[in-house]
Amino acid sequence: MKKLLILLSLAAMPVAGFAAGGEHAKLDAVKIDLSDKTSLQRGARIFVNYCLSCHSAAYMRYNRMGKDLGISEELVKDNLLFAADKVGDLMKAVMPAEEAKAAFSTVPPDLSVIARARKPAWLYTYMRSFYRDDKAPSGWNNTVFPHVAMPHVLYEWQGHQRAIFKQDGAFERFELVRPGSMSTEDYDKAMRDLINFLVYLGEPAKLERYQLGVWVLLFLAVFFVFAYLLKKEYWKDVH
Amino acid sequence: MLTNLLAWIDERFPLTKVWNEHLAEYYTPKNFNFWYFFGSLAMLVLVIQILSGLFLAMHYKPDTGLAFASVEYIMRDVEWGWLIRYMHSTGSSAFFIVVYLHMFRGLLYGSYRGPRELIWLIGMVIFVALMATAFLGYLLPWGNMSYWGAQVIISLFDAIPFVGPSLAEWLRGDFVVSDATLNRFFALHFFIPVIILPALVFVHIVALHKVGSSNPDGIEIKKKKGPDGKPLDGIPFHPYFTVKDIAGVAVFLMFFSAVLFFAPELGGWFLEPDNFVPANILQTPTEIVPLWYFTPFYSILRAVTTDMMRFGLLPFMAVVGGLAIYSVRDMMMRAVVAGATAAILLGLFMMEAKIWGVIMMGLSIVLFFLLPWLDRSPVKSIRYRGWMYKTALTLFSVSFVILGYLGTKSPEAISLFLMKNVYWVQIFTIVYFAFFLFMPWYTTLDKTKPVPERVTP
């Protein structure tokens, strides 16, 4: 029941076509399930180990994440606290902003609400669309976000991709020129966990919101029945 | 004991008198239908907004360096902060939905007609104050759309000849939207809805209770009174309409909660994805658009191009002016109307499209104020009007919705069919204005049906 509601409300979300960048790329759908705690935990591990090196999630606290994802404070302290001293700290990037600016000529954006600014499908496709491009400063380019400053951080997992373009310059497909440590399926799964985590990170109270909403609507339905009966009773003598 | 206390109060404050005049003995037409729920619902939403806004203000920081983060702090670290924030964001859209339906009721049943012109005018002032409040509040999260939306709208004042640029600068408190702007917007976003709006609502209701409520038949229940001096078709507001409105509130809250708990962004219509990016002076959003409740007017602003003025507005205003000159009998008035028409036509030749866009957008709201005098029909309610008004109101409603929808899209894209959005917007802008400007004629010519003596169920 709970899962069904979550899926239903997620399906209802992309009602309007509000694209945020990369409009022309075809996006792959990704299954978001915030009640899948193990997926969220795997995503959190990838996020803290890799993304947080350069990106911040500076509106989020480590202990809040631990509490929501079912990771004890000790585990958070021992395994996830590379860039902070206290579990109550905000999740700030390891790399200082000035250094990042020097390295990438731009400060990597904060990722706290990135899944709300960009659709999950966009993020999921983006993370799987890096390809080798010798003309790019970092040696990497991306079909979803052309000329992005970010290099392919996870190339060791995914391997090297080559982009094949059609005659008219439109993107056709990727070709894996050098395999990484993960199979394509495993890499896709890891990225799904990461995006699932980013959706959680965008709004930690989301699951709680769905759960509370069911009770509120049930209460209102019961309240309406009594309010309606009261109205009928009073209006009996109005003709 | 309680009776004594009440007597003690009544000697010092007209408590029983007010209670009776405005609730227990305020006679209300018994034939109110669906459309009559939205007045009380608008009051409910105002209370929701003031209370949720109060708690948001306890945690929000009106500072360009802190504002965006403080909203996320509310969403994450403040107990129930997410609920309060979504109540407020969903409430702002709900406010406009309820108010637009409330105003549409007025168009359906002629609620703005005499003797209720003042109620309508005060209501329109409330609507303008509401728009100002929403515009001010939209800057506060300091997202990228907040920033660029405010930038675009304030720069409209630049279009005003001579004083425009200095006026825009005065409003911003800076040359661009900045910390000074954010701070004053926060102050005004508190002042207008908390002080001005409740005062206006109070006056709106005092005026309503002076003349009494209209109804779907558009007849005066006070004209048919029983031997006891009470209107035959009236029933006391309390308890009849208090219990009825409570049921209405329950239904409204179900819709409200469904959005709040399951889709607070409503696919980008209530909370835009671009506003989850912090304000960035160097990076404009792909398409700068206001939230849905402003887009009909925003469309009208964008509709006015040089071609639109020459081939759309010029002939349209010439026809309206010609009709007005022809219809006015008094020679003095005829000269005045002719002069005004000539001035408008000359203005369409001389002034730039940008200025006319602002004028037309302003006019699209000002014309609502004039409805009581534009409408010449002998009847009030749509039930007894002829095909002309029914057609006009349908076309107007369609144009309002389409202008609203296309206001969220790029003018150059094709979102409907056949033509670019800008052409559809221009056509429906003319339809929008035709509803108001031709109203004196089609409401006079329209064949009406006889109005009954008593209300019908």
Side-chain angles (χ1 to χ4, degrees):
Chain A
M1 178 64 188
K2 200 172 72 192
K3 264 192 184 159
L4 181 75
L5 272 166
I6 293 166
L7 282 175
L8 274 177
S9 47
L10 283 174
M13 281 189 183
V15 191
F18 281 81
E23 286 97 328
H24 304 297
K26 197 181 148 292
L27 301 180
D28 302 328
V30 56
K31 188 170 158 276
I32 299 300
D33 180 0
L34 295 175
S35 58
D36 186 349
K37 286 273 186 313
T38 47
S39 160
L40 290 176
Q41 288 170 359
R42 287 195 302 264
R45 196 161 60 211
I46 300 171
F47 185 80
V48 174
N49 281 309
Y50 293 87
C51 311
L52 216 50
S53 308
C54 304
H55 293 277
S56 289
Y59 308 132
M60 189 66 184
R61 293 176 197 283
Y62 286 96
N63 56 355
R64 171 70 189 272
M65 178 186 75
K67 202 181 107 206
D68 289 344
L69 267 46
I71 311 170
S72 70
E73 291 221 343
E74 281 67 43
L75 275 175
V76 172
K77 243 182 226 165
D78 297 342
N79 295 303
L80 299 168
L81 225 56
F82 309 118
D85 305 323
K86 296 194 279 285
V87 283
D89 278 352
L90 294 165
M91 299 170 73
K92 294 222 170 90
V94 180
M95 184 188 255
E98 304 81 53
E99 268 180 50
K101 178 111 184 157
F104 308 109
S105 70
T106 176
V107 180
D110 188 283
L111 296 183
S112 308
V113 283
I114 196 71
R116 309 196 74 178
R118 307 232 188 232
K119 284 182 203 143
W122 188 97
L123 294 165
Y124 179 63
T125 316
Y126 168 75
M127 285 310 293
R128 290 153 55 254
S129 298
F130 281 98
Y131 64 92
R132 290 293 306 173
D133 182 356
D134 297 333
K135 277 176 259 152
S138 68
W140 293 96
N141 206 334
N142 194 298
T143 50
V144 178
F145 193 153
H147 312 299
V148 64
M150 175 173 156
H152 190 9
V153 178
L154 301 175
Y155 74 93
E156 282 184 345
W157 289 2
Q158 192 190 18
H160 288 202
Q161 284 192 133
R162 192 166 73 87
I164 297 169
F165 295 94
K166 286 184 214 148
Q167 291 283 318
D168 60 355
F171 168 70
E172 194 180 339
R173 66 192 169 83
F174 289 120
E175 189 187 48
L176 198 60
V177 284
R178 193 196 304 168
S181 63
M182 284 185 181
S183 68
T184 307
E185 290 80 61
D186 284 348
Y187 182 71
D188 286 357
K189 262 188 213 143
M191 288 308 100
R192 185 250 161 181
D193 292 337
L194 177 63
I195 308 310
N196 205 19
F197 174 74
L198 285 178
V199 171
Y200 156 76
L201 185 66
E203 194 192 348
K206 198 169 192 169
L207 204 57
E208 188 188 356
R209 164 155 77 72
Y210 292 145
Q211 288 157 350
L212 183 62
V214 175
W215 291 106
V216 170
L217 284 182
L218 278 175
F219 164 76
L220 285 172
V222 174
F223 177 70
F224 169 72
V225 171
F226 284 102
Y228 179 72
L229 290 175
L230 184 70
K231 187 257 168 191
K232 256 188 100 162
E233 178 64 27
Y234 268 100
W235 279 65
K236 264 197 321 210
D237 52 346
V238 178
H239 301 290
Chain B
M1 174 62 200
L2 271 179
T3 329
N4 284 342
L5 179 66
L6 192 62
W8 187 88
I9 293 172
D10 275 335
E11 275 168 32
R12 290 154 181 87
F13 180 88
L15 186 63
T16 309
K17 186 165 166 277
V18 169
W19 172 265
N20 286 339
E21 272 178 22
H22 296 284
L23 289 163
E25 284 166 22
Y26 175 67
Y27 285 89
T28 315
K30 63 185 185 186
N31 61 335
F32 274 5
N33 59 17
F34 166 77
W35 294 102
Y36 287 78
F37 279 113
F38 298 103
S40 64
L41 290 181
M43 285 231 284
L44 173 71
V45 182
L46 178 63
V47 172
I48 290 176
Q49 290 306 81
I50 289 177
L51 288 180
S52 57
L54 172 67
F55 282 92
L56 287 179
M58 291 178 191
H59 304 284
Y60 170 77
K61 292 195 162 52
D63 178 313
T64 52
L66 303 170
F68 191 88
S70 76
V71 173
E72 282 306 318
Y73 166 76
I74 292 169
M75 291 295 291
R76 288 154 203 267
D77 292 344
V78 174
E79 290 286 332
W80 299 106
W82 61 271
L83 181 65
I84 299 166
R85 195 268 179 117
Y86 283 149
M87 277 171 81
H88 205 68
S89 65
T90 311
S92 68
S93 277
F95 214 151
F96 279 93
I97 292 174
V98 165
V99 163
Y100 281 140
L101 292 172
H102 188 57
M103 288 165 73
F104 186 66
R105 192 276 315 277
L107 295 180
L108 276 180
Y109 302 125
S111 316
Y112 52 81
R113 299 287 300 276
R116 297 182 182 80
E117 301 95 329
L118 260 183
I119 305 172
W120 178 258
L121 290 182
I122 298 163
M124 278 308 298
V125 175
I126 294 176
F127 177 60
V128 172
L130 183 64
M131 290 205 292
T133 306
F135 169 67
L136 294 162
Y138 192 67
L139 184 71
L140 305 186
W142 203 244
N144 212 22
M145 197 64 96
S146 300
Y147 180 82
W148 287 98
Q151 193 79 283
V152 166
I153 299 302
I154 297 180
S155 68
L156 290 180
F157 288 91
D158 282 333
I160 301 170
F162 309 113
V163 294
S166 21
L167 181 62
E169 204 182 300
W170 181 73
L171 288 171
R172 279 188 297 254
D174 204 333
F175 301 108
V176 288
V177 172
S178 66
D179 197 68
T181 323
L182 180 60
N183 238 311
R184 65 186 54 192
F185 272 35
F186 179 59
L188 287 168
H189 185 72
F190 217 120
F191 178 70
I192 298 178
V194 175
I195 309 290
I196 307 284
L197 269 184
L200 286 168
V201 170
F202 178 76
V203 181
H204 192 57
I205 291 169
V206 168
L208 172 72
H209 287 197
K210 165 73 185 164
V211 291
S213 308
S214 184
N215 59 77
D217 282 311
I219 53 185
E220 298 300 330
I221 58 165
K222 280 182 182 170
K223 282 187 185 157
K224 288 272 180 274
K225 282 183 178 162
D228 54 358
K230 294 167 187 166
L232 288 168
D233 286 325
I235 44 178
F237 187 88
H238 180 75
Y240 292 101
F241 284 98
T242 34
V243 293
K244 194 179 176 186
D245 283 348
I246 286 172
V249 163
V251 174
F252 166 78
L253 285 180
M254 277 196 252
F255 281 100
F256 186 76
S257 306
V259 173
L260 193 163
F261 289 103
F262 296 103
E265 306 99 339
L266 207 71
W269 286 94
F270 284 11
L271 286 171
E272 292 164 300
D274 275 315
N275 236 17
F276 287 106
V277 177
N280 187 341
I281 306 177
L282 301 173
Q283 186 200 335
T284 53
T286 339
E287 196 70 36
I288 302 175
V289 287
L291 271 190
W292 69 270
Y293 40 75
F294 288 143
T295 48
F297 312 109
Y298 189 59
S299 268
I300 290 171
L301 171 78
R302 293 199 295 185
V304 184
T305 59
T306 314
D307 281 348
M308 163 69 165
M309 278 159 58
R310 283 203 196 121
F311 305 115
L313 292 181
L314 207 63
F316 175 69
M317 292 312 290
V319 171
V320 174
L323 257 178
I325 296 166
Y326 171 78
S327 309
V328 174
R329 306 211 177 255
D330 181 65
M331 281 319 268
M332 266 299 281
M333 274 309 286
R334 188 175 273 193
V336 170
V337 173
T341 308
I344 291 170
L345 296 184
L346 197 68
L348 281 167
F349 264 118
M350 307 267 289
M351 289 197 287
E352 303 173 63
K354 189 188 174 187
I355 302 172
W356 273 102
V358 178
I359 294 175
M360 295 304 279
M361 184 173 69
L363 203 59
S364 68
I365 293 157
V366 168
L367 283 170
F368 271 101
F369 282 85
L370 304 180
L371 271 178
W373 298 278
L374 292 172
D375 188 349
R376 301 291 174 127
S377 176
V379 303
K380 290 178 190 167
S381 168
I382 194 149
R383 289 181 179 178
Y384 308 107
R385 295 200 194 230
W387 65 270
M388 285 187 204
Y389 183 78
K390 285 177 185 168
T391 313
L393 184 59
T394 309
L395 284 173
F396 174 74
S397 312
V398 169
S399 76
F400 190 81
V401 171
I402 290 184
L403 288 173
Y405 175 65
L406 293 182
T408 64
K409 306 280 174 201
S410 161
E412 291 305 307
I414 299 175
S415 306
L416 295 178
F417 53 92
L418 279 173
M419 300 185 287
K420 280 183 188 168
N421 291 344
V422 60
Y423 300 127
W424 282 114
V425 163
Q426 288 169 341
I427 289 171
F428 283 108
T429 298
I430 297 285
V431 173
Y432 182 103
F433 283 103
F435 171 74
F436 292 101
L437 295 178
F438 289 129
M439 188 177 270
W441 292 283
Y442 66 74
T443 48
T444 312
L445 295 172
D446 212 5
K447 264 211 180 68
T448 56
K449 289 182 216 141
V451 179
E453 291 277 295
R454 299 275 304 270
V455 302
T456 53

